[in-house]
Amino acid sequence: MGTEKISMKKISEEAGVSVATVSRVINQNGRFSKETEEKVLRVIKKYDYRPNLLAKGLRTKNSKSIGVIVPDITNEFFARIFRELETRLFQKGYTVILCNSGEDPHIEDIYYQHLLTKGVVGVIYLSGKNDRRAIDSPIPVVYIDRALNFETNGAFIESDSIQGGYLATKELLDNQCKRILLVRDKRIITPPEHRQKGYEKALIEANIKVDPQLIVKADVGYESGKEAIKKAVNCNLRFDGVFATTDWLALGVIDGLRELSYRIPEDIKVIGFDNISISRFSYLPFSTIHQDIPKISEAAVNVMLKLIKDQEVPDKHIVIPVKLIKRESV
Amino acid sequence: MGTEKISMKKISEEAGVSVATVSRVINQNGRFSKETEEKVLRVIKKYDYRPNLLAKGLRTKNSKSIGVIVPDITNEFFARIFRELETRLFQKGYTVILCNSGEDPHIEDIYYQHLLTKGVVGVIYLSGKNDRRAIDSPIPVVYIDRALNFETNGAFIESDSIQGGYLATKELLDNQCKRILLVRDKRIITPPEHRQKGYEKALIEANIKVDPQLIVKADVGYESGKEAIKKAVNCNLRFDGVFATTDWLALGVIDGLRELSYRIPEDIKVIGFDNISISRFSYLPFSTIHQDIPKISEAAVNVMLKLIKDQEVPDKHIVIPVKLIKRESV
DNA sequence: CTGTTAGCGCATTCAC
DNA sequence: GTGAATGCGCTAACAG
């Protein structure tokens, strides 16, 4: 073990001033002369002293740390958002505690409680599930991607999923698809719900009736996409295009279709959603809807910072535009 | 904003005992009667009180939080390790602060310093680069994946890269490859260096001379792998097998080869390293070396916990076995 | 401009 | 068994 922990007291003694003065120059709170400043600064540098943020946090009630709860950081989408959040937040002097909830509301709650005791000044939920604490949280809560109750002391940032669903479906339509299968996450949560809305909107606009048979609900993930598409084919569902509400689902669909000897895009066209790297690097780089992760994160950080400072947040619900990425699957 | 923050003092008043007693029952430090315990517990439950960990940390010099510094959490390998670390650590009452350094030693250092001021009781580096602080850190440091100075107050956990390189190369050899190209990360750091060692070991064992021409050094990443392999082909290098030291490199190699109209595995066999999901879901699921991430993380956490408690750590350098995953590229 | 004082919320002597 | 007192390291009045 290396250097002893050194405190403000030592610095003040060494510099021949009071701790209050040391505190003032450290925080640049004024009320000290140029000379004493230099004196103090010299001693600080000499000992390579840094203030104990725990003590500071206890005193000021600002721990300068915020919590982020994600279902699973292993998911590239969450990891990319987290990275942006963390970098931006650190730049503003905040450190971030990351928690993996595994989509379990109970665990989410345990984490949330624990974060409170750690004195975090705010928490960001990615795809949060737990609605209980959102309502009267003593600290600001911002949600990304999934809407919960945020009116009281929080905010909600999301991609424009309706527009995304619309763009995806329209792209298929524009490429002569007549019967478009929607393969969606079965859960009743904002993203798939909105993506479906966009899908329906595009169909209606093209004077095509929405056929409930063509909407298939699946669990999340690759295997599930594969399974769903095979079942659809086996049920003699006819379709010439597929819009899958996530890239993993889309990849499963593509591989399932290939195993059934369909050619993509000749026989069937496929489009996904998210633009994660798998969409670019899989056998058949496939078209998808791009989410603007930097923008999402930036908005989340801005709102959070305002909420922390108790500033007015004009827009508690921010929707970030998406865009179509054309590749080889349509 | 919801509930007021309530402290031990209030609990003690409400329960008609002193704060010391409350503290004792909370920490189960004995020296209190069954009755007072119940009384205190009741009040605690009534107010849903939880101790302020900031204050507790300040007092006990144990913040119960540890820092993890990774180059980029977006990298699936790091994310998977982090998830394991975080889950295990939380179970032991620790919370973890995650920092993205972007492989920049300077930023790593800034994070490290900041973590110290936050009172973390240990830091874990994934693929750390900064050697300066490792030597006389006041808190334990454990490295995963990349060896730095850890003798003084730290430890080092890694996969058996030599064995991995050996297994990969041998797999190629066993499948009739005669001239094996090594595409490796050019940096002089443990993982690629060891993987190359394993490669050489396998060749020597098979009585094949190591040909320096067949060792090509590349930057990290997909594009770089593609570029490297095309260059190799253009230089008229002859080879019938490729061992790439990471999966991303391997994917680049595979795609580069395909663009050059080689058939895999018929014309050329390819094997990667890491077993990240891209190796399974790419066009051609390719053979690779699997790293045992749960084991690595478990070892890291165990060692860290011991180091924190100042316990004896018999083995400061732990090597985790790897295994060969056979797929369609060889 | 500067120092003294009083806590932030908690754990830990030390008396009783 | 229990409580009063002290201090972890820091900031924020309040005097001067």
Side-chain angles (χ1 to χ4, degrees):
Chain A
M1 307 270 179
T3 354
E4 292 305 301
K5 243 343 191 233
I6 134 163
S7 71
M8 254 183 51
K9 185 143 154 272
K10 275 211 173 150
I11 300 291
S12 70
E13 283 165 2
E14 190 96 6
V17 298
S18 74
V19 289
T21 303
V22 175
S23 172
R24 288 195 191 99
V25 345
I26 287 178
N27 298 302
Q28 290 294 307
N29 276 338
R31 287 172 298 166
F32 51 81
S33 69
K34 200 73 193 158
E35 308 150 46
T36 50
E37 175 177 17
E38 280 171 13
K39 208 162 45 184
V40 170
L41 253 24
R42 199 169 325 119
V43 181
I44 287 181
K45 181 155 290 176
K46 174 179 168 192
Y47 288 99
D48 192 32
Y49 164 77
R50 337 232 161 192
N52 178 326
L53 261 28
L54 271 175
K56 184 170 184 165
L58 178 60
R59 183 60 233 250
T60 61
K61 286 171 173 345
N62 184 351
S63 67
K64 283 286 188 178
S65 58
I66 89 130
V68 173
I69 300 179
V70 317
D72 178 7
I73 194 62
T74 267
N75 179 315
E76 185 187 332
F77 177 67
F78 300 140
R80 279 164 60 194
I81 291 185
F82 178 83
R83 197 206 203 293
E84 297 275 344
L85 292 176
E86 193 272 318
T87 303
R88 286 184 156 81
L89 251 9
F90 187 67
Q91 209 174 303
K92 297 289 185 184
Y94 291 88
T95 235
V96 12
I97 299 176
L98 178 55
C99 313
N100 291 286
S101 72
E103 295 260 8
D104 182 334
H106 179 59
I107 298 197
E108 262 184 21
D109 196 45
I110 292 177
Y111 270 120
Y112 172 83
Q113 294 293 350
H114 194 97
L115 287 173
L116 279 190
T117 69
K118 286 264 178 176
V120 301
V121 294
V123 1
I124 300 178
Y125 278 93
L126 294 202
S127 296
K129 299 201 75 167
N130 181 14
D131 213 1
R132 192 154 75 76
R133 287 287 155 188
I135 306 201
D136 59 0
S137 170
I139 55 173
V141 174
V142 357
Y143 292 95
I144 295 179
D145 188 48
R146 197 171 301 175
L148 294 178
N149 184 320
F150 57 87
E151 292 305 331
T152 322
N153 186 25
F156 172 42
I157 325 285
E158 62 171 342
S159 277
D160 192 343
S161 290
I162 298 183
Q163 176 69 359
Y166 174 80
L167 286 177
T169 310
K170 189 153 186 322
E171 169 73 356
L172 258 17
L173 255 15
D174 287 348
N175 283 276
Q176 277 67 54
C177 291
K178 299 298 174 209
R179 291 179 59 77
I180 300 176
L181 190 73
L182 174 70
V183 179
R184 61 160 284 189
D185 179 347
K186 60 152 70 125
R187 293 171 299 172
I188 311 295
I189 50 183
T190 332
E193 289 287 309
H194 281 189
R195 288 166 199 182
Q196 173 169 345
K197 261 191 196 159
Y199 161 84
E200 292 172 355
K201 184 179 158 201
L203 291 186
I204 290 168
E205 197 178 283
N207 279 317
I208 299 180
K209 221 181 82 203
V210 176
D211 180 354
Q213 283 228 325
L214 287 180
I215 296 177
V216 340
K217 304 192 175 186
D219 290 320
V220 288
Y222 172 84
E223 296 299 344
S224 160
K226 194 181 245 183
E227 194 179 310
I229 199 69
K230 288 190 174 174
K231 205 160 131 197
V233 170
N234 286 338
C235 290
N236 284 319
L237 246 36
R238 309 241 113 246
F239 52 88
D240 48 13
V242 180
F243 166 34
T245 59
T246 76
D247 280 347
W248 280 108
L249 240 26
L251 187 64
V253 165
I254 289 175
D255 281 2
L257 252 19
R258 284 177 59 220
E259 287 177 15
L260 262 22
S261 303
Y262 286 96
R263 289 168 310 160
I264 302 171
E266 294 81 359
D267 301 332
I268 297 178
K269 305 190 198 312
V270 179
I271 189 163
F273 204 114
D274 283 345
N275 194 26
I276 59 176
S277 48
I278 199 87
S279 69
R280 211 179 119 211
F281 293 114
S282 73
Y283 157 57
L284 184 83
F286 56 89
S287 297
T288 188
I289 300 297
H290 173 79
Q291 298 203 50
D292 194 339
I293 289 176
K295 278 257 169 47
I296 292 173
S297 312
E298 188 189 356
V301 168
N302 285 343
V303 169
M304 178 55 92
L305 258 22
K306 278 185 186 158
L307 253 19
I308 288 173
K309 290 179 199 145
D310 245 321
Q311 287 172 206
E312 197 51 40
V313 176
D315 201 351
K316 295 195 163 210
H317 179 193
I318 300 176
V319 178
I320 307 293
V322 296
K323 71 176 188 225
L324 171 69
I325 304 287
K326 298 187 185 202
R327 285 199 274 251
E328 304 166 29
S329 65
V330 14
Chain B
M1 305 270 181
T3 353
E4 291 305 301
K5 222 36 176 204
I6 138 164
S7 71
M8 253 183 52
K9 186 145 154 270
K10 275 210 173 151
I11 301 292
S12 71
E13 283 165 3
E14 190 96 7
V17 298
S18 73
V19 289
T21 302
V22 176
S23 171
R24 289 195 190 99
V25 346
I26 286 177
N27 299 302
Q28 289 295 306
N29 276 338
R31 286 171 298 165
F32 52 81
S33 70
K34 200 74 192 156
E35 308 151 44
T36 51
E37 175 178 16
E38 280 171 14
K39 207 163 45 182
V40 170
L41 254 23
R42 199 168 326 117
V43 181
I44 287 181
K45 180 155 289 175
K46 173 179 169 192
Y47 288 99
D48 192 32
Y49 163 77
R50 336 230 163 193
N52 177 326
L53 262 26
L54 270 178
K56 184 168 186 166
L58 178 61
R59 180 63 232 250
T60 60
K61 288 172 172 347
N62 185 352
S63 66
K64 282 286 188 178
S65 59
I66 89 130
V68 172
I69 300 178
V70 316
D72 178 7
I73 194 62
T74 268
N75 179 314
E76 185 187 332
F77 177 66
F78 300 140
R80 278 164 61 195
I81 290 185
F82 177 84
R83 196 204 203 297
E84 297 276 345
L85 292 176
E86 193 272 319
T87 304
R88 287 185 156 82
L89 251 8
F90 188 69
Q91 209 174 304
K92 297 289 185 183
Y94 291 87
T95 235
V96 11
I97 300 176
L98 177 55
C99 313
N100 291 285
S101 72
E103 294 261 8
D104 182 334
H106 180 59
I107 298 197
E108 262 184 21
D109 196 45
I110 292 176
Y111 270 119
Y112 172 82
Q113 295 293 348
H114 194 96
L115 287 173
L116 279 190
T117 69
K118 286 265 178 176
V120 301
V121 295
V123 1
I124 300 178
Y125 279 93
L126 294 201
S127 295
K129 299 200 74 168
N130 180 15
D131 214 0
R132 192 154 76 75
R133 287 288 155 189
I135 306 203
D136 59 1
S137 170
I139 55 173
V141 174
V142 356
Y143 292 95
I144 295 179
D145 189 47
R146 196 171 300 175
L148 293 179
N149 184 321
F150 58 85
E151 292 305 331
T152 321
N153 187 25
F156 172 42
I157 324 285
E158 62 172 343
S159 276
D160 192 343
S161 290
I162 298 184
Q163 176 70 359
Y166 174 81
L167 287 176
T169 310
K170 190 154 185 321
E171 168 73 355
L172 259 17
L173 255 17
D174 287 349
N175 284 275
Q176 277 68 52
C177 290
K178 298 298 174 209
R179 291 180 58 77
I180 300 175
L181 190 73
L182 174 70
V183 179
R184 60 160 283 190
D185 179 348
K186 60 151 72 128
R187 293 170 300 172
I188 312 294
I189 50 183
T190 332
E193 289 287 309
H194 281 189
R195 289 166 198 182
Q196 174 169 343
K197 261 192 196 156
Y199 162 83
E200 292 171 355
K201 183 179 159 202
L203 291 186
I204 290 167
E205 197 178 284
N207 278 318
I208 299 180
K209 221 181 81 205
V210 175
D211 180 353
Q213 282 229 324
L214 287 180
I215 297 178
V216 338
K217 304 191 175 185
D219 290 320
V220 287
Y222 173 83
E223 296 298 345
S224 161
K226 194 182 244 183
E227 194 179 310
I229 199 69
K230 287 189 173 175
K231 206 160 129 196
V233 170
N234 286 339
C235 291
N236 283 319
L237 245 37
R238 310 240 113 247
F239 52 89
D240 49 12
V242 181
F243 167 34
T245 59
T246 77
D247 279 347
W248 280 108
L249 239 27
L251 186 64
V253 165
I254 289 174
D255 280 3
L257 251 20
R258 283 177 59 221
E259 286 176 15
L260 263 24
S261 303
Y262 286 97
R263 289 168 309 162
I264 301 171
E266 294 81 358
D267 302 331
I268 296 178
K269 306 189 197 313
V270 180
I271 189 164
F273 204 113
D274 283 345
N275 195 25
I276 59 176
S277 48
I278 199 86
S279 69
R280 211 178 119 211
F281 293 113
S282 73
Y283 156 56
L284 184 84
F286 55 89
S287 297
T288 188
I289 300 298
H290 173 78
Q291 297 203 49
D292 193 338
I293 288 176
K295 277 258 169 49
I296 292 174
S297 313
E298 187 188 359
V301 168
N302 284 344
V303 169
M304 177 56 90
L305 258 22
K306 277 185 186 159
L307 253 19
I308 288 172
K309 290 180 199 145
D310 244 321
Q311 288 172 207
E312 198 51 40
V313 175
D315 201 351
K316 295 196 164 209
H317 179 193
I318 300 176
V319 178
I320 307 292
V322 296
K323 70 175 188 226
L324 171 69
I325 304 288
K326 298 187 184 202
R327 286 199 273 252
E328 304 166 29
S329 65
V330 11

